């Protein structure tokens, strides 16, 4: 019975930002749990090798690309997805980027670029996919929040503002779409071993400050995010919606 709770066999999952470090790990993790998985990014070249790995696991996939913040591209992708895969049961919004600058040095264009990637994309993609889920028997959406949804990160104003918005948007989506059987939750990853962490790792003092704040004393590996994603997209969390689960080694729980 326990295995059945976490079994995603027969489900179709979409992972935006699928070509990134976290997106790739999540895509393979969902496939390992039984789902057919479509990783999508700005170019299909960035996810082609990943799609081949998904197929090697015996799962269905498709090669596709889209700008998750562009309504026309997202609508065209969803139409193609339904035509090829037949349905969509799971959406993981994993698109994200940041520009590290003090507020007084930040341009409006830079602000908008970060907002589009981290917040607008969640709104547009989730809305398009939710319309398809509404016509089915529901589904599960997981948005990637952040430590920046809860705490201020210097030189990351647009990122923190966007990720705070993702947290609140998750709660509203959960309320509005619950009548359609669509559950919407969020995950707040802490510091993970991806390219985005290289900038911190290259600065010994900053790296030490980060590790000192994490009770488990280390940064996470992308594979360590998979369990939380499978949990929130499976029957194991059937009565959970509107929550944000930190996966951060205890970072947010760390005090004085």
């Amino acid at each position: 019975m326990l295995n059945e709770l976490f079994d995603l066999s027969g489900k179709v999952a979409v992972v935006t930002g699928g070509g990134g470090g976290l997106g790739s790990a999540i895509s393979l993790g969902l496939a390992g749990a039984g789902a057919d998985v479509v990783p999508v990014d700005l170019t299909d070249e960035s996810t082609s090798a990943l799609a081949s790995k998904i197929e090697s696991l015996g799962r269905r996939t498709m090669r596709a690309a889209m700008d998750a913040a562009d309504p026309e591209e997202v609508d065209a992708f969803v139409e193609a997805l339904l035509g090829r895969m037949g349905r969509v049961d799971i959406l993981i919004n994993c698109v994200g980027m940041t520009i590290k600058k003090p507020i007084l040095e930040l341009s409006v264009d830079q602000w908008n670029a970060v907002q589009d990637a981290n917040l607008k994309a969640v709104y547009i993609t989730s809305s398009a996919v939710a319309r398809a889920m509404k016509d089915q028997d529901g589904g599960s959406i997981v948005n990637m929040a952040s430590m920046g949804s809860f705490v201020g990160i210097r030189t990351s104003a647009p990122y923190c503002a966007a990720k705070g918005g993702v947290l609140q948007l998750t709660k509203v989506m959960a309320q509005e779409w619950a009548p359609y059987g669509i559950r919407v939750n969020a995950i707040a990853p802490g510091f993970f071993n991806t390219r985005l962490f290289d900038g911190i790792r290259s600065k010994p003092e900053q790296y030490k400050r980060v590790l000192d704040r994490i009770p488990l004393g280390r940064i996470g590996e992308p594979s360590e995010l998979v369990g939380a994603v499978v949990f929130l997209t499976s029957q194991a969390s059937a009565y959970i919606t509107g929550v944000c689960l930190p996966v951060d080694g205890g970072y947010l729980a760390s005090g004085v």
Side-chain angles (χ1 to χ4, degrees), residues 215-256:
L216 290 184
R218 62 178 179 84
I219 61 172
E221 294 299 326
S223 61
E224 293 178 300
L225 201 61
V226 171
V229 173
V230 171
F231 169 65
L232 288 175
T233 55
S234 67
Q235 279 299 111
S237 61
Y239 198 54
I240 297 176
T241 194
V243 307
C244 181
L245 174 61
V247 183
D248 63 354
Y251 181 92
L252 289 176
S254 179
V256 177

Side-chain angles (χ1 to χ4, degrees), residues 93 95 98 115 118-119 122 143-154 156-171 185-191 213 243-248 251-252:
N93 283 303
V95 172
T98 189
Q115 292 289 314
N118 292 283
L119 181 57
V122 173
N143 300 323
M144 286 297 145
S146 166
M147 300 294 94
S149 302
F150 299 91
V151 301
I153 303 173
R154 283 173 290 184
S156 298
Y159 180 82
C160 290
K163 290 301 187 178
V166 168
L167 183 59
Q168 292 302 104
L169 183 59
T170 296
K171 295 175 183 178
N185 293 292
I187 290 174
F191 295 96
R213 176 71 185 271
V243 307
C244 181
L245 174 61
V247 183
D248 63 354
Y251 181 92
L252 289 176

Side-chain angles (χ1 to χ4, degrees), residues 36-240:
D36 296 323
V37 184
V38 178
V40 61
D41 221 315
L42 288 172
T43 66
D44 54 10
E45 289 86 358
S46 65
T47 57
S48 180
L50 177 60
S52 295
K53 290 180 181 179
I54 291 169
E55 289 172 334
S56 72
L57 293 173
R59 313 300 179 211
R60 293 190 303 150
T61 188
M62 60 183 276
R63 274 73 172 173
M66 71 170 182
D67 179 350
D70 185 314
E72 292 185 1
E73 290 194 22
V74 172
D75 285 344
F77 165 74
V78 172
E79 183 178 356
L81 174 76
L82 296 177
R84 175 71 177 272
M85 308 297 285
R87 59 185 294 117
V88 56
D89 304 282
I90 295 166
L91 169 65
I92 313 297
N93 283 303
C94 205
V95 172
M97 59 88 76
T98 189
I99 295 174
K100 301 281 285 184
K101 276 192 173 182
I103 294 172
L104 297 183
E105 298 176 12
L106 196 70
S107 72
V108 172
D109 285 344
Q110 289 170 331
W111 172 276
N112 287 339
V114 177
Q115 292 289 314
D116 285 356
N118 292 283
L119 181 57
K120 183 180 178 182
V122 173
Y123 159 67
I124 289 175
T125 305
S126 295
S127 298
V129 171
R131 292 187 185 98
M133 289 179 172
K134 179 182 175 182
D135 294 334
Q136 303 169 172
D137 51 355
S140 177
I141 297 174
V142 176
N143 300 323
M144 286 297 145
S146 166
M147 300 294 94
S149 302
F150 299 91
V151 301
I153 303 173
R154 283 173 290 184
T155 70
S156 298
Y159 180 82
C160 290
K163 290 301 187 178
V166 168
L167 183 59
Q168 292 302 104
L169 183 59
T170 296
K171 295 175 183 178
V172 177
M173 287 176 171
Q175 292 183 64
E176 292 190 5
W177 297 345
Y180 310 131
I182 302 171
R183 297 187 299 110
V184 187
N185 293 292
I187 290 174
F191 295 96
F192 277 79
N193 188 20
T194 66
R195 289 193 305 271
L196 291 177
F197 192 72
D198 288 344
I200 294 176
R201 199 197 318 273
S202 66
K203 302 171 183 175
E205 291 185 5
Q206 187 177 5
Y207 184 44
K208 183 179 183 303
R209 285 199 303 270
V210 168
L211 292 185
D212 287 346
R213 176 71 185 271
I214 302 173
L216 290 184
R218 62 178 179 84
I219 61 172
E221 294 299 326
S223 61
E224 293 178 300
L225 201 61
V226 171
V229 173
V230 171
F231 169 65
L232 288 175
T233 55
S234 67
Q235 279 299 111
S237 61
Y239 198 54
I240 297 176

Side-chain angles (χ1 to χ4, degrees), residues 7-26:
D7 185 13
L8 298 179
S9 297
K11 304 293 185 182
V12 174
V14 171
V15 181
T16 68
L22 296 183
S24 297
I26 290 169

